[in-house]
Amino acid sequence: MDTASYIEVLREEGRLLADAAEEAGPDASVPPCPGWEIRDLLGHTGVVHRWAAAFVADRCPDSRPMGEHPGLDGTELVAWYRDGHRRLVDTLAGAAPEVECFTFLPGSPSALAFWARRQARETAVHRFDAESARGGVPSPVAADFAVDGVDELLRGFHSRRRSRVRTDGPRVLRVRATDADAVWTVRLSQEPPVVTRDPEGEAECELTGPAAELYLALWNRRPVPALSGDAGLAALWRETSAVI
Protein backbone atom coordinates (compact mmCIF):
# COMPACT_ATOMS: atom_id res chain seq x y z
CA MET A 1 0.00 0.00 0.00
CA ASP A 2 1.23 3.50 -0.75
CA THR A 3 0.88 6.61 1.39
CA ALA A 4 -2.17 7.90 -0.46
CA SER A 5 -3.94 4.57 0.08
CA TYR A 6 -3.25 4.70 3.82
CA ILE A 7 -4.64 8.22 4.00
CA GLU A 8 -7.84 7.11 2.28
CA VAL A 9 -8.18 4.19 4.70
CA LEU A 10 -7.63 6.60 7.59
CA ARG A 11 -10.31 8.93 6.21
CA GLU A 12 -12.90 6.16 6.00
CA GLU A 13 -12.01 4.39 9.26
CA GLY A 14 -12.25 7.64 11.19
CA ARG A 15 -15.65 8.37 9.72
CA LEU A 16 -16.89 4.89 10.61
CA LEU A 17 -15.47 5.21 14.14
CA ALA A 18 -17.25 8.51 14.75
CA ASP A 19 -20.53 7.21 13.32
CA ALA A 20 -20.43 4.08 15.47
CA ALA A 21 -19.53 6.09 18.59
CA GLU A 22 -22.37 8.51 17.98
CA GLU A 23 -24.84 5.65 17.55
CA ALA A 24 -23.58 3.80 20.63
CA GLY A 25 -23.63 6.83 22.92
CA PRO A 26 -20.95 8.06 25.36
CA ASP A 27 -21.93 5.64 28.16
CA ALA A 28 -21.66 2.47 26.05
CA SER A 29 -19.05 0.01 27.26
CA VAL A 30 -16.31 -1.04 24.82
CA PRO A 31 -16.00 -4.85 25.08
CA PRO A 32 -12.48 -5.16 23.59
CA CYS A 33 -11.20 -2.52 26.05
CA PRO A 34 -12.35 -3.52 29.55
CA GLY A 35 -13.13 -0.51 31.70
CA TRP A 36 -13.56 1.84 28.77
CA GLU A 37 -16.71 3.59 27.63
CA ILE A 38 -17.17 5.29 24.27
CA ARG A 39 -16.17 8.63 25.81
CA ASP A 40 -12.79 7.11 26.76
CA LEU A 41 -12.30 5.66 23.28
CA LEU A 42 -13.08 8.95 21.55
CA GLY A 43 -10.88 10.90 23.95
CA HIS A 44 -7.94 8.55 23.48
CA THR A 45 -8.16 8.32 19.70
CA GLY A 46 -8.77 12.05 19.30
CA VAL A 47 -5.71 12.85 21.40
CA VAL A 48 -3.59 10.42 19.35
CA HIS A 49 -4.76 12.01 16.09
CA ARG A 50 -3.78 15.48 17.26
CA TRP A 51 -0.45 14.20 18.59
CA ALA A 52 0.38 12.53 15.28
CA ALA A 53 -0.69 15.47 13.13
CA ALA A 54 1.48 17.86 15.12
CA PHE A 55 4.68 15.91 14.39
CA VAL A 56 4.10 16.27 10.66
CA ALA A 57 2.71 19.80 10.70
CA ASP A 58 5.51 21.12 12.96
CA ARG A 59 8.24 18.92 11.45
CA CYS A 60 9.04 18.01 15.02
CA PRO A 61 12.20 15.84 15.21
CA ASP A 62 11.79 14.61 18.78
CA SER A 63 9.24 12.66 20.79
CA ARG A 64 6.84 14.65 22.92
CA PRO A 65 3.95 13.73 25.22
CA MET A 66 0.35 13.44 24.14
CA GLY A 67 -2.23 15.97 25.21
CA GLU A 68 -5.01 15.51 27.73
CA HIS A 69 -8.57 14.33 27.27
CA PRO A 70 -10.57 17.45 26.32
CA GLY A 71 -13.10 17.03 29.12
CA LEU A 72 -15.99 17.11 26.65
CA ASP A 73 -18.85 14.64 26.39
CA GLY A 74 -21.80 13.65 24.23
CA THR A 75 -22.23 15.42 20.92
CA GLU A 76 -19.46 17.91 21.74
CA LEU A 77 -16.97 15.09 22.19
CA VAL A 78 -17.99 13.47 18.90
CA ALA A 79 -17.60 16.82 17.11
CA TRP A 80 -14.18 17.31 18.72
CA TYR A 81 -13.13 13.85 17.53
CA ARG A 82 -14.36 14.49 13.98
CA ASP A 83 -12.48 17.79 13.86
CA GLY A 84 -9.20 16.24 15.00
CA HIS A 85 -9.59 13.36 12.55
CA ARG A 86 -10.24 15.79 9.69
CA ARG A 87 -7.18 17.84 10.63
CA LEU A 88 -5.01 14.71 10.70
CA VAL A 89 -6.20 13.61 7.26
CA ASP A 90 -5.72 17.11 5.84
CA THR A 91 -2.25 17.40 7.38
CA LEU A 92 -1.07 14.10 5.94
CA ALA A 93 -2.67 14.70 2.54
CA GLY A 94 -1.09 18.15 2.29
CA ALA A 95 2.40 17.31 3.59
CA ALA A 96 5.46 17.21 1.37
CA PRO A 97 6.53 13.61 0.67
CA GLU A 98 10.01 14.39 1.96
CA VAL A 99 8.85 15.90 5.27
CA GLU A 100 11.14 14.93 8.15
CA CYS A 101 9.89 14.43 11.70
CA PHE A 102 9.85 12.01 14.61
CA THR A 103 8.79 8.39 14.06
CA PHE A 104 9.05 5.39 16.37
CA LEU A 105 8.96 2.15 14.35
CA PRO A 106 11.45 0.77 11.82
CA GLY A 107 10.80 -0.07 8.21
CA SER A 108 8.93 2.90 6.71
CA PRO A 109 10.33 4.53 3.56
CA SER A 110 9.58 8.03 4.90
CA ALA A 111 8.19 9.85 7.91
CA LEU A 112 5.00 10.66 6.01
CA ALA A 113 4.51 7.02 5.06
CA PHE A 114 5.05 6.02 8.68
CA TRP A 115 2.42 8.36 10.09
CA ALA A 116 -0.13 7.59 7.37
CA ARG A 117 0.31 3.86 7.95
CA ARG A 118 0.36 4.06 11.75
CA GLN A 119 -2.70 6.29 12.00
CA ALA A 120 -4.67 4.21 9.50
CA ARG A 121 -3.95 1.19 11.69
CA GLU A 122 -4.62 2.95 14.99
CA THR A 123 -7.95 4.15 13.69
CA ALA A 124 -8.95 0.81 12.16
CA VAL A 125 -8.49 -1.06 15.44
CA HIS A 126 -10.39 1.56 17.42
CA ARG A 127 -13.11 1.65 14.76
CA PHE A 128 -13.60 -2.04 15.49
CA ASP A 129 -13.79 -1.15 19.19
CA ALA A 130 -16.45 1.49 18.55
CA GLU A 131 -18.50 -0.83 16.37
CA SER A 132 -18.23 -3.54 19.03
CA ALA A 133 -19.72 -1.07 21.51
CA ARG A 134 -22.52 -0.18 19.10
CA GLY A 135 -23.31 -3.80 18.26
CA GLY A 136 -24.07 -5.39 14.92
CA VAL A 137 -21.68 -6.69 12.30
CA PRO A 138 -18.39 -4.73 12.25
CA SER A 139 -17.05 -3.31 9.01
CA PRO A 140 -14.70 -5.64 7.12
CA VAL A 141 -10.92 -5.32 7.03
CA ALA A 142 -9.35 -5.85 3.60
CA ALA A 143 -6.91 -8.76 3.43
CA ASP A 144 -3.97 -6.71 2.13
CA PHE A 145 -4.48 -4.09 4.83
CA ALA A 146 -4.69 -6.83 7.46
CA VAL A 147 -1.49 -8.53 6.25
CA ASP A 148 0.33 -5.22 6.44
CA GLY A 149 -1.12 -4.67 9.91
CA VAL A 150 0.14 -8.02 11.17
CA ASP A 151 3.53 -7.16 9.72
CA GLU A 152 3.59 -3.78 11.47
CA LEU A 153 2.67 -5.37 14.79
CA LEU A 154 5.10 -8.30 14.63
CA ARG A 155 8.08 -6.74 12.87
CA GLY A 156 7.55 -3.19 14.09
CA PHE A 157 6.09 -2.96 17.59
CA HIS A 158 7.47 -6.27 18.84
CA SER A 159 10.97 -5.73 17.49
CA ARG A 160 11.41 -3.04 20.13
CA ARG A 161 13.02 -3.66 23.50
CA ARG A 162 9.80 -2.71 25.27
CA SER A 163 8.03 -5.81 23.91
CA ARG A 164 7.09 -8.01 26.87
CA VAL A 165 6.63 -11.20 24.84
CA ARG A 166 9.54 -13.17 26.27
CA THR A 167 10.26 -16.82 27.13
CA ASP A 168 12.88 -18.38 29.39
CA GLY A 169 14.28 -20.44 26.54
CA PRO A 170 14.05 -20.43 22.74
CA ARG A 171 10.51 -20.98 21.45
CA VAL A 172 8.99 -20.62 17.99
CA LEU A 173 5.51 -19.32 17.12
CA ARG A 174 4.19 -19.18 13.57
CA VAL A 175 1.43 -17.02 12.13
CA ARG A 176 -0.07 -18.05 8.78
CA ALA A 177 -2.77 -16.28 6.76
CA THR A 178 -5.04 -18.67 4.89
CA ASP A 179 -6.27 -16.14 2.35
CA ALA A 180 -2.96 -14.49 1.44
CA ASP A 181 0.62 -15.45 0.75
CA ALA A 182 1.80 -14.37 4.18
CA VAL A 183 3.62 -16.36 6.87
CA TRP A 184 5.55 -15.05 9.87
CA THR A 185 7.95 -16.99 12.09
CA VAL A 186 8.27 -15.48 15.57
CA ARG A 187 11.35 -16.61 17.49
CA LEU A 188 10.94 -16.00 21.19
CA SER A 189 13.57 -15.87 23.92
CA GLN A 190 14.59 -13.66 26.83
CA GLU A 191 15.24 -10.93 24.24
CA PRO A 192 12.67 -9.10 22.07
CA PRO A 193 11.01 -11.36 19.47
CA VAL A 194 12.81 -11.86 16.18
CA VAL A 195 10.28 -12.08 13.35
CA THR A 196 10.87 -13.13 9.75
CA ARG A 197 8.49 -13.41 6.80
CA ASP A 198 9.06 -17.07 6.07
CA PRO A 199 7.87 -20.57 7.07
CA GLU A 200 11.35 -21.85 7.91
CA GLY A 201 11.92 -24.40 10.67
CA GLU A 202 9.65 -26.19 13.09
CA ALA A 203 7.16 -24.16 15.10
CA GLU A 204 5.78 -25.23 18.47
CA CYS A 205 2.52 -23.38 17.88
CA GLU A 206 0.88 -22.12 14.70
CA LEU A 207 -1.91 -19.54 14.51
CA THR A 208 -3.88 -19.71 11.27
CA GLY A 209 -6.89 -18.00 9.73
CA PRO A 210 -7.96 -15.23 7.35
CA ALA A 211 -5.64 -12.24 7.54
CA ALA A 212 -8.33 -9.94 8.94
CA GLU A 213 -9.12 -12.38 11.75
CA LEU A 214 -5.43 -12.82 12.58
CA TYR A 215 -4.95 -9.05 12.61
CA LEU A 216 -7.72 -8.54 15.16
CA ALA A 217 -6.68 -11.59 17.17
CA LEU A 218 -3.06 -10.47 17.47
CA TRP A 219 -4.29 -7.09 18.71
CA ASN A 220 -6.33 -9.08 21.27
CA ARG A 221 -9.65 -7.96 19.80
CA ARG A 222 -10.90 -11.43 18.86
CA PRO A 223 -10.00 -15.04 19.63
CA VAL A 224 -7.40 -16.72 17.43
CA PRO A 225 -9.26 -18.30 14.49
CA ALA A 226 -7.39 -21.62 14.76
CA LEU A 227 -4.24 -22.90 16.39
CA SER A 228 -2.23 -26.08 16.43
CA GLY A 229 0.53 -27.18 18.76
CA ASP A 230 1.29 -25.65 22.15
CA ALA A 231 -1.69 -23.49 23.13
CA GLY A 232 0.45 -22.05 25.93
CA LEU A 233 2.33 -19.92 23.40
CA ALA A 234 -0.94 -18.45 22.14
CA ALA A 235 -1.92 -17.73 25.75
CA LEU A 236 1.48 -16.10 26.35
CA TRP A 237 0.86 -13.78 23.42
CA ARG A 238 -2.55 -12.76 24.75
CA GLU A 239 -1.18 -12.15 28.24
CA THR A 240 1.96 -10.18 27.34
CA SER A 241 1.59 -8.59 23.90
CA ALA A 242 -0.34 -5.44 24.80
CA VAL A 243 1.53 -2.51 23.23
CA ILE A 244 2.91 -0.05 25.77
Side-chain angles (χ1 to χ4, degrees):
M1 295 179 64
D2 59 19
T3 299
S5 297
Y6 286 125
I7 294 172
E8 285 309 305
V9 170
L10 169 62
R11 187 191 308 274
E12 179 64 6
E13 293 288 355
R15 182 189 68 79
L16 291 171
L17 190 161
D19 289 349
E22 195 164 32
E23 291 170 26
D27 299 328
S29 62
V30 182
C33 306
W36 271 20
E37 296 175 339
I38 280 291
R39 59 172 56 88
D40 303 301
L41 179 66
L42 283 176
H44 166 78
T45 313
V47 164
V48 170
H49 283 173
R50 286 164 168 78
W51 176 74
F55 283 116
V56 178
D58 300 344
R59 298 176 177 261
C60 179
D62 301 311
S63 179
R64 56 191 183 191
M66 294 187 193
E68 299 294 329
H69 190 291
L72 303 172
D73 208 355
T75 57
E76 290 184 332
L77 179 59
V78 174
W80 174 86
Y81 170 79
R82 290 187 191 275
D83 181 63
H85 170 252
R86 177 186 56 77
R87 292 184 187 188
L88 171 62
V89 170
D90 289 350
T91 296
L92 295 175
E98 67 276 8
V99 64
E100 295 186 5
C101 62
F102 170 78
T103 62
F104 60 87
L105 293 179
S108 291
S110 69
L112 181 61
F114 166 82
W115 283 111
R117 182 193 197 200
R118 176 82 290 279
Q119 289 307 296
R121 307 226 157 281
E122 175 88 12
T123 309
V125 169
H126 288 316
R127 181 270 303 161
F128 177 83
D129 296 336
E131 291 182 339
S132 298
R134 179 197 62 193
V137 178
S139 304
V141 177
D144 60 342
F145 184 77
V147 166
D148 189 60
V150 172
D151 203 68
E152 182 202 45
L153 179 62
L154 296 181
R155 298 206 294 168
F157 279 103
H158 286 287
S159 70
R160 304 182 301 170
R161 294 214 62 84
R162 65 175 62 188
S163 174
R164 297 180 300 116
V165 185
R166 310 291 177 100
T167 52
D168 292 336
R171 308 289 302 277
V172 180
L173 172 69
R174 182 157 292 133
V175 178
R176 186 186 303 270
T178 55
D179 60 346
D181 183 17
V183 183
W184 297 263
T185 298
V186 184
R187 292 176 172 84
L188 303 173
S189 68
Q190 295 182 26
E191 297 298 315
V194 175
V195 183
T196 53
R197 282 287 295 269
D198 61 49
E200 299 301 320
E202 295 293 324
E204 296 160 78
C205 177
E206 183 165 309
L207 313 181
T208 59
E213 295 297 310
L214 288 173
Y215 175 52
L216 292 171
L218 290 170
W219 276 103
N220 295 324
R221 260 53 186 188
R222 277 188 166 165
V224 174
L227 68 86
S228 59
D230 184 358
L233 278 182
L236 174 73
W237 178 272
R238 184 164 289 275
E239 292 164 2
T240 63
S241 65
V243 170
I244 58 174

